[in-house]
Amino acid sequence: MKNFISINDFSREEIFEKIIPGCKSMVAKAKTKKPLGWHPSKKVIFAFFEPSTRTLGSYLEASRLLGWRNMQINGAEATSLTKKESMANTVRMFAAQGADVLVMRTKIEGAQRFAAEILEADDWNTSVQNGGDGTNQHPTQTFLDLLTISEKLGRLDNFKIGFFGDLKYGRTVHSLLCALAHQKNISLKLASAPETVLQDRYKKIFKNVEEGDSLDILADCDVIYGSRLQEERFTADPVSLQRARDRFKISHKQLEMFKKDVIIMHPMPYVEEFDPQIRKDSRLIIDLQAWHGIPTRMFMLEEGYKNRKKKTLNNEKQKSEFEIITKMKLDKYMEERKSKKTVHKYFMPINNGTVIDHIPRGLGIKIREFLINKKLVGDIGVKHIIEDVPSKKQRLKNVLVLEDIFIPKETIAAISSFAPTITFNIIKNNIFQKIKIKNPSMISGIGRCPNENCITNHDGEASSKFTHHNDNLYCYYCEKEFEQREII
Ligand code: NCD
């Protein structure tokens, strides 16, 4: 594994059978506190554009124990980013300064994925590791959390886990959930204020989810995991902020209500989540958890270094497969068409050209614009945009009729990426052909990610990319899901 950017990049086997055992194998070595060697030619650059105590500190200790060189940048204000240098050029510079591994912590979401892409495209051999990107992901924290659960609980499946505090903005919660979603018999309990509830997209991946707005619902949990109110990302008013804080504080009294052998975790920093009186309670295992950052990141550094030369991103354009649904003589098709009452009521047939069919309602006009921008049609080239045609597959659809116009294959693939339902009727030389793209690629260079914190809204070189996810679109960089109409 070369890059550690998002838990979503890894399979169950990779996380639970390779990474966690790998982190475990470093525990004894980390305990000795003795450097394993001296490797001044290996270099890690830490670019931390948000504050950090544990992630940066444990990575630094990991690199000392491995005998590597390191370079450390603390705060975006210490770099030329404040002079409006782009993220792309900033990371290119780190690679040029010898980073075998580049660990980044950013407020901007998806910056690490973008960095990995830029460096691979420029042929740098650098592993990119995400020390936290905004509210999105913090994968290396998840690995140390899992290492801790495995050590204390003796298993990584079949338990009840309760999360409390800021479940909306807490990236460590999101990453951990993505990993636990692979495991059997995990029940979730979620305790949070209305302002900080977990987004549906994370809840959806679990079968057993119980929600409440008090810590009481965590009474039968095997693991309890807290998250600080992420004030720096919080948008609600200060009164609700304070209310949320007061409600989610674990005191002695509260502790009595939990299981006797519960383990209580927190990525730290904690602010008011624990009463100082319970700091020494053996159920609170946050010090062990934080210490596990060292062996975990020793493994991350070694693994990233080993694989730094691998090409992991598929830069080649995905080959689109065309599926021919129907091919017949045009007159035969016209005969058949007559028998379909609904269709010919709405638009006139053409003898030469392309009909783009099964376009989701509202997208017809966007595809028309796209074709005009590509100079494939002039303003008058589109004979009809038919709104609200009843269809069996979609309740209402749009149809574009392009008389005497044929679209190149790449453009057909690009149009299909707008929506996988789209089909193309091509009428040429008295032959009618209906085709469809089997594997519509990512939507790229079309639309804008609505997340203001997404790297695509912060770097001119980062153009938006989306994949289809059920009926929605999923941003390749910030990993957030949106409805199609929010994007195009
Ligand atoms: C967390 C983070 O930065 O996401 N801390 C950490 O890395 N251990 C949690 C937080 O800031 O609340």
Side-chain angles (χ1 to χ4, degrees), residues 120-324:
E120 202 167 295
D122 286 7
D123 282 327
W124 292 107
N125 295 324
T126 306
S127 152
V128 177
Q129 307 194 0
N130 181 3
D133 61 326
T135 63
N136 185 35
Q137 284 270 323
H138 194 346
T140 68
Q141 176 71 37
T142 293
F143 301 140
L144 73 90
D145 290 341
L146 292 173
L147 180 62
T148 311
I149 296 174
S150 152
E151 190 175 311
K152 295 304 277 186
L153 218 60
R155 62 185 190 277
L156 282 171
D157 55 9
N158 209 7
F159 59 83
K160 278 196 182 134
I161 181 163
F163 289 89
F164 74 95
D166 193 340
L167 313 186
K168 184 172 180 185
Y169 300 112
R171 56 195 172 198
T172 67
V173 174
H174 302 158
S175 280
L176 184 53
L177 287 171
C178 294
L180 290 177
H182 290 289
Q183 295 298 82
K184 286 199 196 94
N185 264 334
I186 302 286
S187 306
L188 275 195
K189 304 261 183 156
L190 307 170
S192 63
E195 295 82 0
T196 56
V197 289
L198 186 70
Q199 293 95 322
D200 282 344
R201 66 192 179 108
Y202 295 109
K203 283 184 229 162
K204 269 195 313 218
I205 50 182
F206 290 89
K207 276 199 207 110
N208 288 321
V209 184
E210 203 183 309
E211 269 185 288
D213 63 356
S214 112
L215 287 170
D216 298 351
I217 67 157
L218 310 181
D220 61 344
C221 287
D222 306 297
V223 182
I224 291 178
Y225 193 103
S227 172
R228 165 186 73 92
L229 283 180
Q230 310 279 305
E231 292 187 39
E232 68 277 33
R233 313 186 208 281
F234 209 80
T235 46
D237 60 281
V239 179
S240 17
L241 184 76
Q242 191 53 44
R243 209 178 41 215
R245 263 199 208 121
D246 290 346
R247 191 135 30 122
F248 299 104
K249 181 182 231 157
I250 299 185
S251 62
H252 248 312
K253 201 167 133 248
Q254 193 70 53
L255 214 48
E256 293 307 302
M257 290 183 52
F258 297 150
K259 274 178 103 170
K260 291 221 156 24
D261 56 354
V262 65
I263 53 172
I264 303 176
M265 301 173 67
H266 195 297
M268 297 208 259
Y270 71 84
V271 186
E272 296 180 44
E273 296 86 292
F274 303 120
D275 192 314
Q277 285 181 323
I278 73 152
R279 182 67 177 88
K280 290 259 176 310
D281 193 288
S282 61
R283 285 169 280 186
L284 196 62
I285 56 161
I286 52 179
D287 294 323
L288 173 71
Q289 186 187 356
W291 183 82
H292 276 151
I294 302 168
T296 297
R297 278 135 188 165
M298 286 170 78
F299 177 74
M300 303 282 104
L301 290 177
E302 286 287 41
E303 184 69 14
Y305 185 86
K306 252 195 280 171
N307 297 301
R308 70 194 187 287
K309 293 185 180 158
K310 282 202 176 138
K311 295 280 176 212
T312 58
L313 307 164
N314 188 7
N315 285 330
E316 264 182 280
K317 276 226 158 81
Q318 194 185 333
K319 291 219 172 29
S320 309
E321 269 184 72
F322 290 82
E323 183 188 355
I324 300 177

Side-chain angles (χ1 to χ4, degrees), residues 47-50 73 75-77 79-96 102-119 122 124 128 130 132-134 453-462 477:
F48 273 60
F49 303 142
E50 279 192 330
I73 311 280
E77 56 291 352
T79 71
S80 290
L81 284 167
T82 46
K83 298 179 190 170
K84 298 206 168 79
E85 183 167 37
S86 69
M87 187 63 87
N89 283 335
T90 305
V91 301
R92 282 185 181 113
M93 200 42 58
F94 293 144
L102 172 62
V103 187
M104 294 168 72
R105 170 170 282 193
T106 58
K107 177 173 173 280
I108 303 298
E109 291 158 10
Q112 291 74 350
R113 187 167 311 281
F114 174 62
E117 226 175 27
I118 287 282
L119 296 185
D122 286 7
W124 292 107
V128 177
N130 181 3
D133 61 326
N453 241 350
C454 176
I455 184 70
T456 55
N457 292 318
H458 289 268
D459 194 297
E461 284 185 60
Y477 292 101

